[in-house]
Amino acid sequence: ADGWSPRWETFGMMSEPLMSGVGTLSIVGNHEVSNGHYHGVDWMQRYPVPFRESGSPSAMYYSYNTGLVHVLGLNSYAPMDEHSPQYRFALQDLKNIDPVASPWVIVIFHAPWYSSNQEHYKENVVGQRALEGLFYKYGVDLVLSGHVHSYERTYPIYNSKVDWRGPIHIGIGDGGNSGGPALPWREPQPEWSAFREASFGSGQLTVHNQTHAHWEWRRAGCGSKPGGIGETPEFLWTINLEAASCTTDGDNSAQRGAPVDRTWLVQDKYNVLSQQTETASVDHRFPAWGYPLCFVGFVASQVLILGATRYFGGADSKWTARAVSAQACASDEEETRE
């Protein structure tokens, strides 16, 4: 809405058929905080979050549990240094996670730490420097962000290097915008970037149980300019809804033709849970269909199966990682990644 309150009402009426049946929890971005200098007031009044229940002093950052997942939502535009209220909340929240009840830990915030797109490049370095160590120490599994209007997924990463003990970062700022998909991509594609594409789409994370989760992104449409890139105003993008075969004008990504991106996240349940179950009172009989968590994002084509054995030792949590094939994942026969 960029500071124009009536646009919030227009969007609310458009999305009511969906949001009336699907639970929605969000976190603020630059359009809610800085544009129009509204500081998130419109968002806070329309989309309440459980910040008091999670012990947060502000609606700008909070946490909650859903199924087997603990979700921590942060604000990219609030102070994050170690003396800030947001940092102290994040630290205490990560410390208090029960790894038996919530073996999966997801963090969401607006501006990405890892993006190889030229748009908003390294815009959130301050947040990365302040919080990446905490995420690594306390075993965050997945980081979801937006801001860059294209899709990108990383390999597990820490300190700008592929690290199988680190979280996967997924940029899903590709839900649609008037200016078209973000371009260009920086070359060459970094080693930590598993998949990137400039298009519009959505993603779904399905947590099946304590050990297996599946991420899938699907392209919904591509952007095109009638006069070509650079020859027409930014707002004159049109959308090609032939999602299975389209590509966005000017997309220089190697994966630009792929309509789907899938990846498995696998944790070794015996090492994760066996040392905990003797004293735990949690009922582990979770439904076979899993807990679906839907996010706005993009789709790609590669299938990457990530296997990880996670050892919980409080502040000294560690990961050892293995990659497994799709066939091995289905049959639980894991193959060691060299």
Side-chain angles (χ1 to χ4, degrees), residues 106-316:
I106 299 174
V107 179
I108 59 174
F109 50 77
H110 188 65
W113 292 352
Y114 291 103
S115 171
S116 60
N117 199 289
Q118 186 62 45
E119 186 171 303
H120 304 302
Y121 183 64
K122 289 190 175 182
E123 201 171 274
N124 198 11
V125 172
V126 173
Q128 179 183 355
R129 290 173 179 171
L131 294 170
E132 189 171 26
L134 284 185
F135 293 5
Y136 191 75
K137 183 177 183 178
Y138 292 105
V140 171
D141 301 297
L142 182 64
V143 176
L144 298 172
S145 58
H147 199 41
V148 176
H149 296 276
S150 287
Y151 172 79
E152 185 166 20
R153 173 176 58 83
T154 76
Y155 295 110
I157 188 171
Y158 174 66
N159 198 24
S160 300
K161 296 180 180 178
V162 174
D163 187 324
W164 297 96
R165 296 170 58 194
I168 293 173
H169 288 247
I170 300 180
I172 49 171
D174 58 329
N177 73 305
S178 60
L183 286 169
W185 298 101
R186 295 173 63 88
E187 297 288 4
Q189 185 169 354
E191 293 183 359
W192 47 257
S193 177
F195 188 98
R196 60 184 189 176
E197 183 177 321
S199 59
F200 295 131
S202 63
Q204 177 172 291
L205 176 70
T206 302
V207 177
H208 293 280
N209 50 41
Q210 299 98 323
T211 62
H212 288 71
H214 183 260
W215 168 260
E216 179 172 300
W217 170 88
R218 287 189 170 273
R219 184 170 63 205
C222 303
S224 62
K225 280 194 170 186
I229 297 294
E231 298 179 17
T232 53
E234 180 183 17
F235 59 85
L236 288 182
W237 283 87
T238 60
I239 303 300
N240 181 347
L241 297 179
E242 297 293 332
S245 58
C246 68
T247 58
T248 291
D249 289 351
D251 188 354
N252 59 315
S253 168
Q255 294 86 33
R256 60 185 174 272
V260 181
D261 178 39
R262 301 185 181 99
T263 186
W264 278 96
L265 292 84
V266 181
Q267 300 188 58
D268 188 325
K269 63 181 178 181
Y270 299 105
N271 288 299
V272 172
L273 297 175
S274 61
Q275 59 185 319
Q276 308 284 348
T277 52
E278 291 183 4
T279 58
S281 59
V282 178
D283 185 352
H284 297 298
R285 294 170 294 177
F286 299 103
W289 50 262
Y291 296 91
L293 301 175
C294 298
F295 305 93
V296 174
F298 270 88
V299 193
S301 65
Q302 296 173 328
V303 178
L304 177 67
I305 310 299
L306 302 177
T309 303
R310 190 174 186 177
Y311 300 87
F312 290 93
D316 297 319

